[in-house]
Amino acid sequence: EVQLLESGGDLVQPGGSLRLSCAASGFTFNNYAMSWVRQAPGKGLEWVSSISGSGDNTYHTDSVKGRFTISRDNSKNTLYLQMNSLRAEDTAVYYCAKHRGIVVVAAAKFDPWGQGTLVTVSS
Amino acid sequence: QSVLTQPPSVSGAPGQRVTISCTGSSSSIGAGFDVNWYQQLPGTAPKLLIYGNTNRPSGVPDRFSASKSGTSASLAITGLQAEDEADYYCQSYDRSLSTMIFGGGTKLTVL
């Protein structure tokens, strides 16, 4: 069974940093692209970042470019999101999600999703 | 403001049929990009409901179906059940924005 388990969410002050992790199991991790998708409290879903199976190709939404970095350690079956210069508007539940294949395609389907980890940016 | 527009809410009685629309543009759905649909039950993570415009993953009841035409897509749920009460999101890609996009979500209430 495919399982994704996020961790690392916390309360952090504006301007602070945080690293999220997503531990994967039940599939050959390096054969699949992965993404982070966030959901602000009471709001809809927003794609944040994606990474290819090899880790060679990464993509970020404009609002986090230069502040967030997606990465992966295929030897540890773990996906990461390094979040710097955090802002109040980054407050959200962050989900990791598995793609269908090894490359990041335009309208990729996310299946499955982890349970999410809450990041709160507040002073 | 989402690039994909969904109605904020829809409702229906048990056993009825409801549809949820997802309106994009010539740079997203109209450009030929696939549409995926997700169901988010209260307090849980989203779950893939429909992929590649019309395909159901294994385990998803055939009460759920979807279609795509022009710059829009639609999700239909027949034989409405209480457990269908959830938020539903469409997802695609916008080539002008060069980003994956989600609709704003539709809350389905089963009366």
Side-chain angles (χ1 to χ4, degrees):
Chain A
E1 180 193 3
V2 173
Q3 289 195 329
L4 301 171
L5 185 61
E6 300 96 333
S7 61
D10 204 347
L11 170 63
V12 61
Q13 292 190 341
S17 297
L18 211 54
R19 188 178 82 158
L20 306 182
S21 299
C22 171
S25 62
F27 64 102
T28 304
F29 185 62
N30 60 6
N31 280 354
Y32 294 92
M34 300 288 294
S35 282
W36 289 98
V37 178
R38 67 184 178 184
Q39 185 170 34
K43 302 297 184 182
L45 302 171
E46 180 187 23
W47 170 75
V48 177
S49 303
S50 296
I51 187 168
S52 61
S54 65
D56 290 343
N57 301 102
T58 61
Y59 310 84
H60 298 84
T61 192
D62 283 349
S63 63
V64 309
K65 280 180 182 174
R67 300 188 300 123
F68 291 11
T69 303
I70 189 172
S71 64
R72 63 193 297 159
D73 186 336
N74 286 343
S75 69
K76 296 182 178 179
N77 290 350
T78 303
L79 174 73
Y80 302 102
L81 186 67
Q82 178 66 44
M83 311 164 67
N84 300 329
S85 303
L86 282 161
R87 306 167 180 168
E89 54 265 35
D90 296 319
T91 294
V93 173
Y94 285 72
Y95 297 100
C96 66
K98 173 181 168 287
H99 288 223
R100 181 180 184 180
I102 196 168
V103 297
V104 179
V105 298
K109 64 171 185 176
F110 303 126
D111 180 42
W113 301 52
Q115 88 292 343
T117 187
L118 176 62
V119 173
T120 303
V121 184
S122 175
S123 54
Chain B
Q1 192 94 12
S2 301
V3 183
L4 297 177
T5 302
Q6 297 180 235
S9 63
V10 297
S11 62
Q16 284 189 333
R17 177 181 186 270
V18 296
T19 61
I20 298 172
S21 61
C22 174
T23 302
S25 68
S26 58
S27 62
S28 59
I29 298 175
F33 294 108
D34 282 349
V35 178
N36 306 311
W37 291 89
Y38 301 88
Q39 177 193 57
Q40 187 174 32
L41 297 170
T44 70
K47 168 193 165 186
L48 181 67
L49 197 63
I50 299 285
Y51 67 95
N53 306 313
T54 60
N55 303 292
R56 279 188 313 275
S58 60
V60 173
D62 59 7
R63 301 187 296 104
F64 294 90
S65 64
S67 62
K68 172 187 165 183
S69 178
T71 59
S72 296
S74 182
L75 174 71
I77 309 171
T78 58
L80 209 55
Q81 299 180 4
E83 56 261 39
D84 297 333
E85 194 160 281
D87 293 325
Y88 293 84
Y89 294 89
C90 59
Q91 174 232 337
S92 186
Y93 183 85
D94 189 294
R95 68 180 175 192
S96 296
L97 301 173
S98 297
T99 185
M100 298 188 200
I101 51 176
F102 284 93
T106 299
K107 182 176 182 60
L108 169 62
T109 301
V110 180
L111 302 171

